[in-house]
């Protein structure tokens, strides 16, 4: 008797993806990358400075388009020539956390969190506000909801950025050095939130870091050197 | 609130001082163009009312534009004639009452016969030249504003005394005559008539008030030295702007020279057109400068918000949405500036309307301002269109920001 194991479709798949920039002198940022991000896994991407970690993350997050190769989202090829379609997929399926918080400084924490929901326009105002407050509360920021980013600490801002990334309940969180500007206590707090996301909500997290200790806490660790994947450990 | 509007308003509010400067630029543009338009149209209407509407719109005289056709032309191929005159050999319009009856049948307006004669008025050893116009009081009221311009007496008073005369008030003042006085009117041929002043007229145009006198047609005919003569027709039309075409038709029909108010004041109209052109150019320049201000503000905001644009795009905002945000910011500045400009324009018009304007040739008067919603609407539309164009270029640039380049630079 044979047991049929369920076959899952990767959330994101890169097939022979290469990214080159520059008109006269060309620089290859990532070279012939094949990679899959499965549902519910925490992937860390590490590598030396300029190795192409962030470029790989931007390709995974549809912020950039490959020079050659193919990006598939939930098994479907993402059209490289349609910025509108890529924007729609980013809004619906992806959430970003960057090294710098990138909050809109004139808006309160609450408004910043509701921005992606308002752009998607699927919920009522009441439901958007409730969800944003719930997210801020779950990240320990309930008392800071109406504060401007300038009135928050670095760790608090980064947690607001995580709340915003989660606003549309995306399948994948893409984090680019999310603890790069934080002290160790805040870093631990942010990493704990990301880990919790994977464990409790079965979402996927792809985190770029150069901190090997942080990378060790991921489910899968991918190393990139000179734009090539050189090592993968689980 | 709509997301795009919310972000646009926040951006505009965050650059309050700069926004205010841009807004004032648009407001100045709109305000001054409203004021210019009100002044321009006001003065034009005033001109029409004062100089044109007070007089007959068309004057037919006993002259012809071309010399009469010579019998030799029917027989020989004539190259040229010399010494021919457009003036009639026998002065006066032939069959004037037949012409009046014919005009009455199709003309939307009124026709009155008149007799023009030059004379010298003498009173208390003072002489002054005058243009005497013989009128039919019943018909005259329909072709000019003479009855309304009378200061003392009425048109009917012309029938009250034999050889009754109405004098321009300045003329009467010059010779020291009053209503009831008897003055001597000397014609060009030396005929002297004793006339009784029965009324004074004040048109507001000093040149006219210093030289004009009115009598009954028969009195003027005596002065002209020809009984039964009618040497001019005074015509008023319902549509003042159609006067030129109607004059051409009358001339074609009667053969007599018919001059519309436009033809009589051609140099003035051409001056008005040049003035309009200059004014519209100035107004356009003001609005253009204002739109540069808007462009500058939106460009600055776009430049300052490049990081925000990148993050909005990374979140999933489309290029169109980003473009809309900055275009809306330009329109917010344009709209707020327009409303402020309307208030400014109204205030300027009100202030200018109180200034007294004195001319040696006319009565003291206030600057003529014409209030029309069209001026406000036009200035507002031009300002909004200029703001939209000024905002579009930086908005398009903002929408084309590549988020990766900005995020890399910031991290």
């Amino acid at each position: 008797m044979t047991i049929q194991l369920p076959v899952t479709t990767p959330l994101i798949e890169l097939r022979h993806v290469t990214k080159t920039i520059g008109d006269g002198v060309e620089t290859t940022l990532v070279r012939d990358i094949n990679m899959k991000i499965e549902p519910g896994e925490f992937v860390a991407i590490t590598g030396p400075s300029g190795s192409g970690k962030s470029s790989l993350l931007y390709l995974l997050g549809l912020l950039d388009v490959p020079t050659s190769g193919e990006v598939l989202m939930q098994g479907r090829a993402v059209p490289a020539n349609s910025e509108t379609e890529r924007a729609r997929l980013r809004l619906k399926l992806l959430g970003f956390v960057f090294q710098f918080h990138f909050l809109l400084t004139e808006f309160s924490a609450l408004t910043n969190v509701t921005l992606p929901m308002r752009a998607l326009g699927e919920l009522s105002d009441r439901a958007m506000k409730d969800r944003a407050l719930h997210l801020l509360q779950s990240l320990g920021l309930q008392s800071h909801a109406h504060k401007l980013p300038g009135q928050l600490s670095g760790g608090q801002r980064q947690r607001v950025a995580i709340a915003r990334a989660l606003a549309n309940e995306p399948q994948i969180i893409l984090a680019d050095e999310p603890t790069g500007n934080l002290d160790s206590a805040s870093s631990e707090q942010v990493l704990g939130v990301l880990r919790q996301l994977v464990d409790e909500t079965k979402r996927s997290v792809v985190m770029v870091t150069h901190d090997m200790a942080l990378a060790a806490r991921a489910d899968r660790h991918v190393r990139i050197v000179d734009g090539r994947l050189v090592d993968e450990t689980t | 609130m709509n997301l795009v509007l919310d972000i646009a308003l926040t951006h505009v509010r965050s650059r309050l001082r700069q926004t205010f400067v841009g807004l004032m630029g648009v407001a100045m543009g709109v305000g001054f163009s409203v004021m210019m338009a009100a002044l321009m149209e006001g003065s034009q209407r005033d001109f029409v009312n004062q100089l044109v509407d007070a007089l007959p719109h068309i004057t037919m005289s006993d002259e012809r534009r071309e010399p009469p056709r010579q019998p030799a032309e029917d027989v020989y191929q004539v190259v040229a004639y010399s010494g021919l005159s457009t003036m009639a050999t026998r002065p006066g319009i032939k069959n004037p009452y037949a012409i009046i009856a014919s005009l009455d049948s199709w003309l939307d307006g009124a026709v009155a016969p008149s007799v023009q004669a030059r004379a010298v008025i003498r009173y208390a050893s003072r002489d002054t030249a005058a243009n005497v116009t013989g009128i039919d009081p019943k018909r005259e009221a329909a072709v000019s504003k003479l009855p309304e311009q009378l200061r003392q007496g009425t048109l009917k008073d012309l029938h009250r005394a034999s050889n009754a005369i109405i004098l321009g008030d300045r003329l009467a003042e010059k010779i020291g005559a009053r209503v009831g006085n008897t003055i001597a009117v000397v014609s060009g041929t030396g005929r002297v008539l004793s006339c009784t002043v029965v009324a004074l007229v004040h048109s507001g145009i000093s040149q006219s008030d210093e030289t004009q006198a009115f009598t009954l047609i028969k009195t003027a005919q005596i002065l002209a030295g020809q009984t039964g003569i009618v040497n001019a027709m005074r015509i008023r039309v319902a549509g003042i702007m159609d006067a030129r075409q109607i004059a051409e038709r009358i001339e074609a029909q009667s053969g007599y020279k018919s001059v519309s108010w436009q033809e009589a004041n051609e140099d003035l109209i051409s001056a008005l057109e040049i003035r309009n052109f200059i004014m519209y150019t100035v107004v356009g320049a003001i609005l253009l400068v204002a739109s540069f201000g808007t462009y500058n503000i939106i460009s600055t905001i776009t430049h300052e918000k490049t990081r925000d644009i990148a993050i909005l795009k990374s979140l999933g905002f489309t290029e169109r949405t980003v473009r809309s945000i900055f275009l809306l910011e330009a329109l917010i500045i344009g709209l707020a500036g327009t409303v402020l400009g309307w208030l400014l324009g109204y205030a300027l018009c009100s202030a200018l309307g109180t200034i007294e304007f004195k001319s040696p040739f006319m009565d003291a008067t206030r600057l003529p301002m014409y209030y029309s919603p069209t001026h406000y609407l036009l200035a507002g539309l031009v300002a909004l269109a200029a703001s939209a164009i000024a905002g579009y270029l930086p908005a398009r640039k903002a929408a084309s920001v590549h988020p990766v380049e900005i995020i890399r630079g910031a991290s």
Side-chain angles (χ1 to χ4, degrees):
Chain A
M1 183 182 161
T2 53
I3 299 168
Q4 192 85 30
L5 289 170
V7 180
T8 55
T9 308
L11 288 173
I12 312 176
E13 185 178 355
L14 303 187
R15 288 182 187 168
H16 302 289
V17 164
T18 296
K19 177 68 185 178
T20 308
I21 58 164
D23 289 332
V25 183
E26 287 194 343
T27 308
T28 303
L29 300 175
V30 293
R31 200 185 300 267
D32 195 28
I33 301 264
N34 288 294
M35 188 180 183
K36 288 179 184 175
I37 308 296
E38 301 290 347
E41 68 171 345
F42 192 154
V43 181
I45 302 172
T46 62
S49 271
S51 58
K53 307 185 291 289
S54 294
S55 300
L56 178 59
L57 192 81
Y58 300 147
L59 287 163
L60 284 167
L62 311 181
L63 282 174
D64 212 349
V65 288
T67 312
S68 65
E70 200 176 19
V71 181
L72 288 89
M73 183 71 73
Q74 292 181 324
R76 288 166 65 182
V78 176
N81 56 357
S82 173
E83 164 57 26
T84 310
E85 176 61 9
R86 283 187 288 120
R88 193 188 66 80
L89 289 170
R90 281 202 298 274
L91 192 62
K92 221 171 159 60
L93 300 174
L94 305 171
F96 289 92
V97 181
F98 298 98
Q99 183 176 354
F100 188 76
H101 58 80
F102 275 134
L103 298 173
L104 300 190
T105 50
E106 294 107 344
F107 292 97
S108 68
L110 181 67
T111 310
N112 266 288
V113 177
T114 57
L115 277 176
M117 293 185 263
R118 292 170 73 183
L120 193 62
E122 287 181 348
L123 297 174
S124 67
D125 286 354
R126 183 75 249 169
M128 284 192 276
K129 194 178 174 188
D130 286 349
R131 187 189 281 180
L133 283 170
H134 175 72
L135 282 168
L136 288 170
Q137 192 179 12
S138 65
L139 291 162
L141 294 164
Q142 63 272 29
S143 58
H144 303 287
H146 297 287
K147 286 183 181 170
L148 295 172
Q151 297 167 311
L152 300 172
S153 70
Q156 287 168 337
R157 285 180 207 157
Q158 202 61 313
R159 277 185 282 152
V160 174
I162 293 173
R164 185 180 63 187
L166 294 170
N168 282 336
E169 298 181 336
Q171 298 294 308
I172 311 163
I173 300 294
L174 299 148
D176 188 4
E177 303 270 14
T179 60
N181 282 339
L182 302 179
D183 57 37
S184 55
S186 299
S187 295
E188 187 55 41
Q189 211 173 17
V190 167
L191 194 75
V193 170
L194 294 175
R195 184 71 251 182
Q196 202 179 357
L197 270 173
V198 176
D199 295 342
E200 290 180 7
T201 64
K202 298 298 173 200
R203 290 195 183 109
S204 301
V205 171
V206 181
M207 178 179 69
V208 164
T209 181
H210 58 265
D211 187 332
M212 299 308 283
L214 291 181
R217 292 167 67 175
D219 301 331
R220 186 150 62 102
H221 176 191
V222 174
R223 270 193 80 229
I224 182 168
V225 176
D226 291 335
R228 289 180 191 278
L229 289 184
V230 293
D231 192 20
E232 191 168 333
T233 52
T234 49
Chain B
M1 192 191 292
N2 175 280
L3 176 61
V4 171
L5 181 63
D6 193 7
I7 296 174
L9 279 173
T10 307
H11 281 175
V12 169
R13 274 200 303 258
S14 71
R15 304 289 309 166
L16 213 56
R17 197 193 308 173
Q18 222 172 7
T19 302
F20 179 73
V21 171
L23 198 138
M24 283 310 291
V26 177
M28 291 282 196
V30 171
F32 278 104
S33 53
V34 163
M35 182 204 76
M36 291 280 236
L39 188 60
M40 200 164 62
E41 196 163 342
S43 63
Q44 251 176 9
R45 281 174 181 260
D46 187 60
F47 165 76
V48 170
N49 281 336
Q50 290 259 353
L51 298 174
V52 180
D53 218 26
L55 299 171
H57 299 157
I58 301 168
T59 306
M60 182 205 286
S61 65
D62 57 355
E63 283 181 45
R64 293 174 191 272
R65 281 194 202 267
E66 300 292 330
R69 188 176 172 81
Q70 301 301 306
E73 287 178 76
D74 298 332
V75 183
Y76 303 106
Q77 293 238 320
V78 177
V79 178
Y81 280 107
S82 63
L84 292 180
S85 170
T86 54
M87 287 178 72
T89 325
R90 277 192 58 169
I93 295 168
K94 281 183 193 169
N95 297 324
Y97 291 97
I99 291 175
I100 290 172
S102 163
L103 291 178
D104 278 342
S105 67
W106 62 267
L107 185 74
D108 186 10
V111 190
S114 72
V115 178
Q116 304 287 340
R118 290 182 194 281
V120 171
I121 291 178
R122 184 175 295 155
Y123 180 70
S125 307
R126 295 187 193 96
D127 287 358
T128 187
N131 295 321
V132 179
T133 305
I135 57 168
D136 176 349
K138 277 184 196 160
R139 284 184 168 267
E140 187 62 25
V143 298
S144 76
K145 290 193 172 172
L146 188 60
E148 298 152 39
Q149 292 169 345
L150 290 178
R151 286 289 162 90
Q152 291 177 43
T154 63
L155 276 187
K156 283 180 185 169
D157 292 338
L158 283 174
H159 297 290
R160 210 183 61 195
S162 62
N163 298 339
I165 191 165
I166 298 170
L167 295 181
D169 60 351
R170 283 177 181 245
L171 190 153
E173 196 182 318
K174 203 154 83 173
I175 58 172
R178 292 180 182 177
V179 171
N181 291 156
T182 301
I183 59 171
V185 183
V186 186
S187 76
T189 54
R191 190 185 298 266
V192 182
L193 278 182
S194 285
C195 298
T196 308
V197 180
V198 292
L200 297 180
V201 62
H202 177 83
S203 66
I205 305 160
S206 64
Q207 198 187 355
S208 174
D209 292 336
E210 272 182 18
T211 56
Q212 200 59 257
F214 297 91
T215 63
L216 286 176
I217 283 182
K218 63 175 183 183
T219 313
Q221 284 170 341
I222 296 166
L223 284 170
Q226 200 171 344
T227 313
I229 189 177
V230 169
N231 58 12
M233 297 277 194
R234 293 149 73 83
I235 302 160
R236 191 174 183 81
V237 291
I240 189 166
M241 302 312 290
D242 304 328
R244 195 188 285 272
Q245 289 75 28
I246 294 170
E248 281 168 10
R249 186 176 168 187
I250 293 171
E251 187 166 321
Q253 188 182 314
S254 66
Y256 288 109
K257 188 175 175 183
S258 301
V259 178
S260 63
W261 67 270
Q262 290 105 320
E263 190 185 346
N265 298 289
E266 221 145 44
D267 49 344
L268 216 53
I269 286 169
S270 135
L272 277 177
E273 277 169 4
I274 291 169
R275 193 192 65 154
N276 284 359
F277 177 76
I278 292 168
M279 281 193 180
Y280 279 123
T281 309
V282 171
V283 167
I286 294 168
L287 287 170
L288 188 71
V289 171
S291 71
F292 274 117
T294 308
Y295 173 83
N296 193 32
I297 293 157
I298 304 301
S299 286
T300 309
I301 293 176
T302 314
H303 184 70
E304 284 177 354
K305 299 294 174 192
T306 310
R307 208 170 62 178
D308 286 5
I309 295 164
I311 199 62
L312 289 173
K313 289 187 79 174
S314 76
L315 288 175
F317 279 57
T318 59
E319 286 189 3
R320 191 179 164 185
T321 310
V322 172
R323 203 165 42 236
S324 307
I325 290 170
F326 292 95
L327 201 58
L328 193 62
E329 286 174 23
L331 286 173
I332 289 168
I333 292 169
L335 193 67
T338 297
V339 173
L340 207 62
W342 285 344
L343 297 173
L344 181 71
Y346 185 79
L348 284 169
C349 289
S350 305
L352 279 179
T354 60
I355 297 172
E356 201 169 282
F357 188 68
K358 284 181 181 171
S359 157
F361 309 107
M362 294 175 81
D363 287 351
T365 179
R366 301 205 182 278
L367 270 180
M369 308 300 292
Y370 181 71
Y371 296 86
S372 163
T374 314
H375 298 159
Y376 290 79
L377 201 67
L378 268 177
L381 283 175
V382 172
L384 279 179
S387 297
I389 294 166
Y392 181 74
L393 295 174
R396 199 177 62 167
K397 194 179 165 196
S400 66
V401 163
H402 199 306
V404 169
E405 287 167 16
I406 311 302
I407 292 164
R408 270 184 199 284
S411 47

